[in-house]
Amino acid sequence: MMTSTTGAGTTSLLRFATAGSVDDGKSTLVGRLLHDSKSVLADQLEAVEHASRNRGQDTPDLALLTDGLRAEREQGITIDVAYRYFATPRRRFILADTPGHVQYTRNMVTGASTADLAVVLIDARNGVVEQTRRHAAVAALLRVPHLVLAVNKMDLVDYAEPVFADIADAFSAYAASLGVPEVTAIPISALAGDNVVAPSAHMDWYGGPTVLEHLETVPVVTDPTGEPARFPVQYVIRPQTPEHHDYRGYAGQIASGVLSVGEEVTVLPSGRTSVIAGIDHLGTSVATAWAPQSVTVRLADDLDISRGDLIAPALTAPAPTRDVEATVCHVADRPLRVGDRVLVKHTTRTVKAIVKDIPSRLTLDDLSQHPAPGELTANDIGRVTLRTAEPLALDPYTRSRRTGSFLLIDPTDGTTLTAGMAGEAFAVEGAATPAADDEGWDF
């Protein structure tokens, strides 16, 4: 969790994403949140009013506050992930308004990958549809901590409680099958503003929070001591000055956990151990530091450490491996096939790898596995097995979203191909030894 001190005190930050089927009202909901929470600048609102009048609308189309691409405005759909930043006296927010079309599932993966909460919208007239299940499955797969069901367009079903209850029950049952422990269901009308920021006068049968009230109060505080410390080295600092000739520090951002001076640590993938001799944060020496602080770590021993190495407590360090099993979402237009040569980017480390197998592809409609698909195409989610040229210190994604995730990159042009979530990584004999034939990609 991040905190920031302002004149009003300390406020927490919530990252959340909106998702749902086409025309369920995602952009309108986000626009209503921005408008009714007084987070829209006067010139932005004036531009939206002008654009709405040009389209023959009598009232401002609040969806235009987030549908920023010209193609989106002309077609009336959301294509890209629209990020917006706003704040209330109680909390700061970063929201990602993601597309609803099936072919843009990869964009939903992008928006939800760093989210603390996902809002899945449903049109009250249509109920749970295929794309609703797809987005719920992606949110569950990415381990988004909190899931909100916003049953939208209640004004078009006469604000009927039974309609809301049936949809909430059906969605909650599906979410439970995905392993989601709890769903917060809220009946809303984004167009009319019911239960978005202010409580609705048309649904006195509902006694829960509005969307904004829930966003402001949902717990996002995490205890950094609850996760093992992981410190990917981003840069080695060696000042070339007489007064600092013996200074050697390792700079980066703590991905998880807490680091303390005097703690025994292991440097991966080499496996060498040392003790933290000092931690520098914002120009000051500190005794402890925690995620997500950016710090410089100094060790008691002069070890061979470079960008891409990982510093972790000796007792909880992950086992390096060159054999990676993972669930991936393919985001590129060109397919991913067995035998493809790729780059794996994990934290600050990038290594060569070969796709050894694609055991299955996930059918999100019914959560079934399609065995041996042969390839993954854009928006597909499936299992892959990789063999890397050099070992990686991966954590299972279920334990750490930061150090359990990686990207597959096309080595020829740098295109991002696939977003990966590591399974239970397992070490193999000789894992700490780089492959002999690196140049030939024969691992």
Side-chain angles (χ1 to χ4, degrees):
M1 175 201 141
M2 297 175 60
T3 59
S4 174
T5 302
T6 65
T10 300
T11 57
S12 60
L13 170 67
L14 176 72
R15 299 174 183 267
F16 72 99
T18 60
S21 189
V22 178
D23 292 332
D24 278 355
K26 299 176 301 299
S27 297
T28 302
L29 170 63
V30 173
R32 176 64 65 183
L33 274 172
L34 295 174
H35 179 271
D36 289 6
S37 63
K38 313 300 182 186
S39 300
V40 181
L41 298 177
D43 58 339
Q44 291 177 309
L45 185 58
E46 183 179 348
V48 167
E49 291 172 344
H50 178 72
S52 301
R53 286 194 299 270
N54 289 342
R55 296 170 60 172
Q57 296 172 296
D58 296 330
T59 58
D61 184 355
L62 298 180
L64 298 180
L65 288 170
T66 54
D67 286 344
L69 298 180
R70 179 178 297 273
E72 293 174 348
R73 293 194 177 193
E74 291 175 350
Q75 299 177 53
I77 63 172
T78 301
I79 296 175
D80 201 4
V81 179
Y83 289 95
R84 292 295 182 269
Y85 310 85
F86 69 101
T88 68
R90 304 178 69 177
R91 180 168 279 175
R92 295 176 297 124
F93 302 94
I94 299 176
L95 66 90
D97 181 29
T98 65
H101 286 69
V102 173
Q103 64 265 38
Y104 299 120
T105 301
R106 55 190 173 184
N107 300 67
M108 194 268 177
V109 171
T110 300
S113 62
T114 58
D116 303 304
L117 180 147
V119 180
V120 177
L121 272 80
I122 287 181
D123 188 327
R125 299 169 299 175
N126 302 328
V128 177
V129 297
E130 174 186 336
Q131 192 67 341
T132 306
R133 293 190 292 270
R134 182 181 299 269
H135 284 151
V138 169
L141 183 67
L142 292 171
R143 299 299 191 274
V144 179
H146 303 281
L147 189 59
V148 173
L149 170 67
V151 181
N152 193 23
K153 304 187 181 182
M154 289 295 296
D155 54 313
L156 300 183
V157 294
D158 297 325
Y159 299 102
E161 181 181 6
V163 173
F164 168 73
D166 290 345
I167 294 174
D169 289 344
F171 182 86
S172 296
Y174 180 76
S177 70
L178 298 171
V180 177
E182 184 180 3
V183 174
T184 300
I186 305 174
I188 68 169
S189 169
L191 186 64
D194 293 288
N195 284 338
V196 178
V197 172
S200 172
H202 301 99
M203 292 180 279
D204 53 3
W205 45 264
Y206 172 75
T210 65
V211 173
L212 183 60
E213 285 173 348
H214 184 69
L215 295 177
E216 288 182 322
T217 57
V218 65
V220 293
V221 177
T222 57
D223 181 5
T225 63
E227 298 181 12
R230 300 289 185 262
F231 182 68
V233 176
Q234 183 174 354
Y235 186 73
V236 180
I237 299 178
R238 291 290 303 273
Q240 302 300 314
T241 58
E243 61 272 24
H244 297 102
H245 68 279
D246 60 345
Y247 185 96
R248 185 182 181 91
Y250 309 102
Q253 184 184 54
I254 302 176
S256 62
V258 178
L259 293 176
S260 302
V261 173
E263 184 175 16
E264 184 180 7
V265 294
T266 298
V267 180
L268 300 171
S270 69
R272 296 183 179 275
T273 61
S274 185
V275 173
I276 297 179
I279 301 174
D280 299 327
H281 175 58
L282 299 177
T284 303
S285 294
V286 295
T288 60
W290 53 88
Q293 290 179 333
S294 295
V295 299
T296 300
V297 173
R298 292 176 280 117
L299 300 182
D301 302 286
D302 189 7
L303 304 180
D304 182 12
I305 300 174
S306 59
R307 174 183 171 86
D309 287 347
L310 182 77
I311 297 175
L315 295 178
T316 59
T321 182
R322 287 177 49 210
D323 292 276
V324 179
E325 293 183 344
T327 298
V328 302
C329 177
H330 192 62
V331 300
D333 291 327
R334 80 166 181 82
L336 183 74
R337 298 187 173 97
V338 175
D340 281 355
R341 299 171 179 179
V342 297
L343 298 176
V344 180
K345 178 173 174 51
H346 172 249
T347 63
T348 58
R349 186 174 183 82
T350 302
V351 302
K352 294 180 179 179
I354 288 179
V355 179
K356 301 296 288 185
D357 191 19
I358 303 177
S360 62
R361 182 181 69 240
L362 180 66
T363 302
L364 288 175
D365 304 339
D366 58 6
L367 302 180
S368 63
Q369 294 286 344
H370 177 77
E375 66 179 22
L376 296 178
T377 58
N379 300 302
D380 278 348
I381 294 175
R383 296 285 298 176
V384 300
T385 301
L386 307 171
R387 176 71 168 173
T388 63
E390 301 173 44
L392 293 175
L394 285 157
D395 284 299
Y397 187 81
T398 52
R399 297 182 190 172
S400 173
R401 295 173 77 187
R402 285 288 305 276
T403 55
S405 59
F406 61 86
L407 296 176
L408 298 187
I409 299 172
D410 189 330
T412 60
D413 60 10
T415 300
T416 298
L417 302 174
T418 307
M421 293 148 280
E424 292 288 341
F426 54 96
V428 295
E429 186 176 355
T433 303
D437 189 5
D438 190 358
E439 292 299 321
W441 295 77
D442 184 10
F443 309 147

